[in-house]
Amino acid sequence: TLYAITTDFGNFPNVELKVLYDGNQDKTRTIRSPDNLVWSKAGMLCVQEDKAEDDTASQDEVLFNGPGVAVNPNEAGIVCFDVDANSNVAVPGSFERIASVDRSVVKDASIDDPETAIDRNLHQGGAWESSGIIDVSELFDEEPGTLFIVNVQAHGIDYQDSFNLDSRITDDDLVEGGQLILLTRDDKDD
């Protein structure tokens, strides 16, 4: 669940708490286990999913595990939605998945043959997460909400020295695989 908190620090503790998105009420599980987010000047909120939770609070439904098991079959990703400026609630129908982690590329650039890296969590949906998002559109003179820097933490591309002795992906060095990504979002009206 995502909340918006409005406060006036000059008149503290006057605080207003609103639910922006209630994951328990969304049976399609549009956003699972929300983590990092950015509220763009374009008025949209972009939220990254993190597999911090394997199932719902009642433990009767898995959140991540692919088609046929989870209600939302997507790999972990980023979902954006518009927020009504007057009411501070999500605009129905505005939810858009702008990115999903692609785990088909497993590489270890620290070894001679990067393609021989092993994803130890290959069959565990949501094991890789997009973690950390910044709207950098204005830095590139672009419209707000069109350019983001995000990263992917490839949980599972770790302990690579067990498979390739020359790997630097060890607890004493790089720890795990990942990427820093410049994500471009085209205008959704185009």
Side-chain angles (χ1 to χ4, degrees):
T1 300
L2 298 168
Y3 303 92
I5 300 172
T6 306
T7 188
D8 176 358
F9 287 105
N11 189 20
F12 196 75
N14 187 10
V15 175
E16 179 185 21
L17 177 71
K18 286 195 174 185
V19 174
L20 287 173
Y21 169 79
D22 187 343
N24 295 323
Q25 297 301 314
D26 179 5
K27 299 303 177 199
T28 64
R29 307 291 183 232
T30 304
I31 303 173
R32 301 151 303 168
S33 193
D35 192 13
N36 304 296
L37 57 85
V38 64
W39 200 320
S40 168
K41 286 186 179 179
M44 69 180 179
L45 195 66
C46 293
V47 181
Q48 296 174 305
E49 297 174 309
D50 175 5
K51 190 186 172 204
E53 296 295 327
D54 289 322
D55 50 26
T56 56
S58 61
Q59 298 181 339
D60 61 353
E61 176 190 339
V62 296
L63 293 174
F64 295 90
N65 229 359
V69 178
V71 172
N72 179 342
N74 294 299
E75 192 48 83
I78 303 170
V79 178
C80 296
F81 60 93
D82 295 322
V83 177
D84 183 285
N86 297 317
S87 64
N88 265 354
V89 295
V91 175
S94 68
F95 289 81
E96 176 187 13
R97 179 170 288 274
I98 65 166
S100 290
V101 172
D102 177 1
R103 292 176 60 185
S104 67
V105 179
V106 178
K107 296 194 185 263
D108 177 354
S110 74
I111 56 178
D112 290 336
D113 185 359
E115 307 273 334
T116 61
I118 304 293
D119 181 354
R120 295 182 330 104
N121 297 330
L122 180 62
H123 300 292
Q124 186 181 65
W128 291 17
E129 65 173 293
S130 174
S131 179
I133 183 168
I134 303 170
D135 185 347
V136 295
S137 307
E138 289 183 359
L139 296 175
F140 294 91
D141 294 323
E142 298 291 335
E143 292 293 316
T146 57
L147 286 176
F148 301 92
I149 291 181
V150 301
N151 80 318
V152 171
Q153 294 177 350
H155 306 306
I157 301 182
D158 53 4
Y159 304 108
Q160 293 298 299
D161 54 337
S162 300
F163 311 106
N164 297 290
L165 292 177
D166 294 330
S167 178
R168 291 187 52 205
I169 300 179
T170 68
D171 276 349
D172 296 328
D173 200 344
L174 298 175
V175 182
E176 70 183 1
Q179 277 188 316
L180 191 59
I181 301 166
L182 181 64
L183 179 65
T184 302
R185 180 177 183 266
D186 292 332
D187 188 318
K188 61 183 174 184
D189 295 330
D190 286 349

